[in-house]
Each structure stands twice: as structure tokens, then as C-alpha cells.
Amino acid sequence: MKLPIYLDYQATTPVDPRVLETMLPYFHDQFGNAASRSHSFGWKAEEAVENAREQVAALIGGSSKEIIFTSGSTEAINLAIKGVAEMYASKGKHVITSLAEHKAVLDTCKHLEKLGYEVTYLKPDRTARISSEQVRDALRPDTILVTVMWANNEVGTLNPIREIGTLCRERGVIFFTDATQAVAKVPVDVEADHVDLLCLSAHKIYGPKGIGALYVRRKNPRVRLAAQMDGGGHERGMRSGTLNVPGIVGLGKACEIGRLELDAESRRCRELRDHLESRIRKELGHVELNGHAEYRLPGNLNLSFHFVEGESLIMGISDIAVSSGSACTSASLEPSHVLRSMDVGEDLAHSSIRFGIGRFTTREEVDYAADAVIKAVRRLREMSPLFELAQEGVDLKTVQWQGNH
Ligand SMILES: *Cc1c(COP(=O)(O)O)cnc(C)c1O
């Protein structure tokens, strides 16, 4: 077993060797510009791009004509939200989203507010879920877009996408979902789920960084977007710029593998995740699960440890790469906006750790991580006077603190 152990698969993933191998020819031998129409270098590149488009579409149940390549999910999110807002402004200027979304969605919505749009930020429940009833209650005659993520990147919670999609379709409102964490992990079908726009990113599914895609529904209804990048009119005019052919080929291959191996991989990740959780719970008390026990990504485990501070814990398990809910935006010491939106208290938010399990995680690694976490939490708690009081049976909520507690 090699150290350090990577358990941060929601942040990014290593490129699958099969993906890398598929990409390599497109850097040197087949380096053509997919927009070159007059020679075989261009034709070969275009063929590779169109093959990848099919592979991406197959993963999500769309058609290849509905796939727009972007530099990743952040760009796809900007294009979807700003593109709809601009295109449908005459119809209305109201957008619905949730407080637990990725910053790329939240900051794009904030940008719209500066331009005079109105945004409703739905508050998720304690498990980070948004219900279709909440969306229904927030819909207005001037609502032009609902944007709710499929799977949360911090706590792994899955939203009721089909219900929200069905509702939006009934009301004639465009529905966009950030499926960056969901595709290749849980079944996604833009037809059955009534999704109009969907983004995904290669580096979250064992493809390269800097490439992703936006699905844009072409019929029932046809969704139109105002381009956010002007230029040569690539990607049906929605995203100009010479295509990143090796990246696109890699994204396509990653989607193909993701589709073919989804069931087996989800099962494997879930088993490892559940093993990690049960080992930790068996040895440690005062552990809270952040997120939903059932509606959850198979490879995600987000736990808070009472009487422990997240940063100290991360330092205590320094040969295991995980994320903490307290240092998400590295410079600030603010706890994560996702945990805050779920009303996880400040202390528990600061003690939260996200374990991300993925394709290359082994049982041996999970056991090593479990041992390390158990040992580190015990050691930190031994130094905690609060833990000592709790062990003695003192109810900390009833303690009269001196000073500014
Ligand atoms: C990683 C991530 C993004 C951003 O994707 P990039 O391709 O890195 O820009 C957006 N949303 C979610 C849910 C993510 O996990």
C-alpha cells in the first residue's frame, strides 16, 4: 500500500489509464483541428469529437446533438444560467436555486441579481435535500429557470430530480441540474427525469481536468441559450473556441467506462464506504453523519466528530487526503456554506470530514484510514476537557460557562 492515501474523490479523480491511453494519439499524431474541413487531419479530429459526443450523450440518455463541450462544469454552469437568463429575459427575470449548490451556481446567481434578476434560494432540510414541494411553492409566473443540483459535492445528498423535473415540465419552466457529482455514480436519464439542461465534468469521473459538457435539450421543449463566448461559432454557436480534442476524447472514454461500469462500481464504493463508516462507529461514539443516510452518493461519507476540531484531525491523519468542512474556501475559517445551509452547528461543521471513495480505493486503504481516524480522534478527545465532562455524564448544554461562551 502506497502512502498518502487519496480519499478525496469528490474534489477530483485520477485519470483512468484506459482514458489516458485513448487520449494520447490526439496530442501528436492526430493533432488536427476539428473545424478544419479541407483535409484528413481535420476530419479525423472531427470524427473523434463526434464519437465522444455520442459517448457523453449515452451516459445521460440524450442525443449527441444536445451535447456542448465546455472547459468543465463551472463554464457549463455559467453558460446554462446566464444563457437562459439572457435569452428568456422578456419572459421573466426570476430564478430558483438552493443554498446548498456549488459556488459556481451560487455566484452565477449573485451575478444575475446584480443585473436586476430575482433569485429565490431554497433552504435545504437537515440532510441537504430540496423537495419538489419547496420548488412548487417558489414558482411564479415570471420564473424562467430552476437550478437544483443532482448530488451534493460535500455531503453527497441526492435530490429528487425526477420529481422536480416533472414539476418544471408541467409548469413550462426550464430545469437545469448540476450533475457533476452524479453522472457515472447514479443512473441519469434526461428523458425520464425531465431535465432540460445538465452539466458534467471529466475530472470528477476519471477523465482529464479542464473539459466538461453541457446538455442542452433540443426538443420538447427546445431550449435556447445566449452564447457567453463569442467567436468562430463552434458548438452550434453556443461556445466558440477551438475544441480541446484530446480532452474531449478523454471525456468521451470516461463517460463510456462510467456507463458500462456504473452498477458494479457503485456497489463496490458503497460497500467500502459502509465498511469505513461502520468501523469508525464501532470504535468511536459521538459521531454524526452529515447528509442523508439513504439518498446519498455511493462513495461519499461526511462525518462530524464531537469534541474534535476538523483541522487538528486532518493534521492528525496527515497521510490520508480528505477534505474538512471548515476549510473549504481555504483562506477563510468560515465553515462550509453547505453545512450551514443544513443548520449543522458551528462546532460540528468545524469538525466535519469528507471521505471520498472511488474507483482505485482498496479495502486495505479504507482499513488504514479507519485505524488512523480512530486513533487520531481518541488522542484529540483525550486532550479535550469537554469530552472528559461528557464522559462523566455531564450534560454540556446545562453547564453555566464563565466568560463569553
Ligand atoms: C467540481 C464541481 C463543479 C465544478 O466543476 P469544474 O469542472 O471543476 O469546473 C461544479 N459543481 C459540482 C457539484 C462539483 O462537484
Side-chain angles (χ1 to χ4, degrees), residues 19-30:
V19 169
L20 178 61
E21 195 189 340
T22 314
M23 291 171 68
L24 286 175
Y26 294 93
F27 285 101
H28 186 82
D29 292 334
Q30 297 178 38

Side-chain angles (χ1 to χ4, degrees), residues 72-74 77 102 149 153 178 180-181 201 203-204:
S73 277
T74 299
I77 288 165
H102 191 274
M149 73 200 317
N153 47 299
D178 173 359
T180 313
Q181 294 288 344
S201 178
H203 78 97
K204 303 286 176 76

Side-chain angles (χ1 to χ4, degrees), residues 57-62 150 162 177 179 182-193 195 198 262:
L59 177 65
I60 59 170
W150 200 305
R162 188 169 294 187
T177 183
V183 295
K185 320 269 168 58
V186 296
V188 167
D189 182 342
V190 291
E191 290 306 325
D193 298 316
V195 169
L198 174 150
L262 188 148

Side-chain angles (χ1 to χ4, degrees), residues 84-231:
V84 165
E86 200 179 320
M87 186 58 83
Y88 296 89
S90 61
K91 195 173 164 244
K93 288 191 152 190
H94 180 235
V95 173
I96 298 171
T97 188
S98 110
L99 290 168
E101 296 290 306
H102 191 274
K103 284 286 180 191
V105 169
L106 292 175
D107 288 354
T108 302
C109 287
K110 293 226 181 76
H111 177 84
L112 288 187
E113 286 183 296
K114 286 201 198 103
L115 299 178
Y117 290 80
E118 240 186 286
V119 181
T120 299
Y121 297 91
L122 301 175
K123 187 177 160 49
D125 68 14
R126 190 66 175 74
T127 72
R129 263 191 138 214
I130 291 291
S131 70
S132 60
E133 288 75 26
Q134 281 178 285
V135 176
R136 174 176 288 124
D137 291 345
L139 283 172
R140 308 190 323 206
D142 61 340
T143 307
I144 49 171
L145 177 69
V146 169
T147 163
V148 174
M149 73 200 317
W150 200 305
N152 186 275
N153 47 299
E154 289 187 29
V155 294
T157 300
L158 302 170
N159 276 314
I161 292 302
R162 188 169 294 187
E163 282 175 33
I164 298 171
T166 305
L167 169 70
C168 290
R169 186 63 51 82
E170 279 166 15
R171 299 296 186 89
V173 175
I174 295 172
F175 177 41
F176 167 51
T177 183
D178 173 359
T180 313
Q181 294 288 344
V183 295
K185 320 269 168 58
V186 296
V188 167
D189 182 342
V190 291
E191 290 306 325
D193 298 316
H194 300 310
V195 169
D196 299 317
L197 293 159
L198 174 150
C199 70
L200 55 87
S201 178
H203 78 97
K204 303 286 176 76
I205 56 170
Y206 313 97
K209 292 167 184 59
I211 187 74
L214 180 65
Y215 160 82
V216 184
R217 177 171 288 282
R218 257 165 76 93
K219 55 177 196 286
N220 311 317
R222 182 184 184 91
V223 175
R224 300 188 323 133
L225 294 180
Q228 301 300 306
M229 186 95 81
D230 297 307

